[in-house]
Amino acid sequence: MGLESSVILITGGNAGIGRAIASRFLRSGSVVIILGINTESGQETVAAFKEEYPSCSVAFYTCDVSQTAAVDAAVETILREYGRIDVVVNNAGIVADQLLMKMQEDEWDRVLQVNLKSCYNVCRATVRSMLRNRQGRIINISSVIGLMGNSGQTNYAASKAGMIGFSKSLAKEVATRGITVNCVAPGFIETQMTASLAESHKQAILQDIPMGYMGGPEDIAEAVYFLASPVARYITGQVLAVDGGMVMH
Ligand code: NAD
């Protein structure tokens, strides 16, 4: 699909959905750079990828994407090293679920900073070089929760809905320069994030999924890969739900 040797920056690409996205791009010969907070898991991921794809180009940079200065420094290093960034995938995310009445200020701030401020940080640091190259793809991993809300997730839903407004606005700012900005909104996907859900909660969620089963990280990876590819050049400012039919517009 024309992404061979493109440079892809993926936040949180060392686990779950991000790791599947990284793997999808590596399989096609792209250069993959992962930004993440967990150095040990990052190094383990790079080693595993090098074993799976012996001639691949993959690197991990330790970086808390909620921190503006840390992102600026990492992107500066990456641009110096690789010369360009073609695709940005803002995937890093956390939850800190709590009913609003009991939600601590720290739980609100942390989720908004990791999930939403990281988009501002990473996009602002990378968009200038994309503008210069007159091409680029930004794909932000939102969530169906940002579209439909969920009890106990006001912080998470606000961060994920915020990503959608952010993406539509940025899409308008950069559309004439060959850069597209889209969101992928996963439904319930089997990763570490959903592994801790109680079995009764999982069963209740499955009732709301017309397809009747949880998705895999590779379902999200394929959607991201499609939006990143040249064939998706005329798609921007959109939210692609990959959710077994949970949210239908
Ligand atoms: P995960 O917990 O398995 O992985 C999240 C990754 O983000 C990890 O690598 C983690 O180290 C990294 N990360 C966390 N905080 C970070 C920070 N401050 N700086 C850099 N990296 C950081 O989660 P996942 O299920 O793979 O989720 C990936 C994305 O998909 C998240 O944005 C999540 O909100 C979204 N999502 C997941 C689901 C699901 O069902 N799993 C559904 C909808 C949306």
Side-chain angles (χ1 to χ4, degrees):
M1 290 242 264
L3 288 165
E4 306 80 15
S5 58
S6 293
V7 181
I8 323 293
L9 181 66
I10 307 171
T11 70
N14 51 302
I17 290 172
R19 189 169 170 146
I21 296 170
S23 179
R24 180 65 188 86
F25 281 99
L26 286 171
R27 183 146 53 86
S28 301
S30 307
V31 175
V32 169
I33 300 151
I34 297 168
L35 292 186
I37 32 170
N38 188 334
T39 308
E40 204 182 318
S41 144
Q43 285 166 349
E44 177 271 318
T45 302
V46 166
F49 280 145
K50 286 194 168 153
E51 209 170 300
E52 194 176 353
Y53 310 105
S55 57
C56 76
S57 175
V58 58
F60 177 86
Y61 288 77
T62 303
C63 176
D64 179 344
V65 291
S66 69
Q67 302 300 312
T68 308
V71 170
D72 285 346
V75 169
E76 198 184 315
T77 307
I78 292 162
L79 284 172
R80 208 179 316 118
E81 202 110 321
Y82 296 86
R84 63 182 206 281
I85 294 169
D86 301 301
V87 178
V88 164
V89 185
N90 281 302
N91 161 80
I94 58 167
V95 288
D97 297 351
Q98 190 56 269
L99 293 175
L100 181 70
M101 257 186 340
K102 295 186 192 162
M103 190 178 289
Q104 300 300 308
E105 187 179 356
D106 168 61
E107 291 169 324
W108 174 269
D109 288 345
R110 227 166 1 103
V111 170
L112 269 290
Q113 287 203 335
V114 174
N115 297 4
L116 184 57
K117 189 170 183 196
S118 62
C119 277
Y120 159 79
N121 288 337
V122 177
C123 289
R124 199 192 60 141
T126 53
V127 80
R128 195 184 303 274
S129 94
M130 287 186 178
L131 288 169
R132 220 178 293 121
N133 297 341
R134 293 195 154 264
Q135 64 164 18
R137 293 280 191 273
I138 296 172
I139 298 147
N140 295 324
I141 308 300
S142 177
S143 167
V144 288
I145 302 304
L147 295 167
M148 59 191 249
N150 196 23
S151 169
Q153 292 200 302
T154 50
N155 51 358
Y156 185 75
S159 72
K160 294 299 182 178
M163 284 175 106
I164 293 172
F166 172 92
S167 303
K168 289 180 177 178
S169 304
L170 182 58
K172 289 185 177 182
E173 289 183 18
V174 299
T176 59
R177 311 291 279 274
I179 302 168
T180 67
V181 188
N182 291 289
C183 284
V184 169
F188 278 85
I189 307 298
E190 290 194 66
T191 68
Q192 203 56 37
M193 194 176 264
T194 47
S196 55
L197 290 175
E199 196 45 43
S200 56
H201 190 183
K202 269 192 193 167
Q203 289 308 320
I205 290 164
L206 288 175
Q207 301 291 319
D208 291 333
I209 304 176
M211 284 188 171
Y213 63 92
M214 288 173 79
E218 63 284 357
D219 293 313
I220 308 306
E222 291 297 340
V224 170
Y225 189 77
F226 164 69
L227 288 171
S229 69
V231 297
R233 66 173 191 173
Y234 205 51
I235 302 173
T236 196
Q238 301 302 309
V239 182
L240 176 56
V242 182
D243 62 356
M246 271 182 96
V247 176
M248 295 189 188
H249 299 282

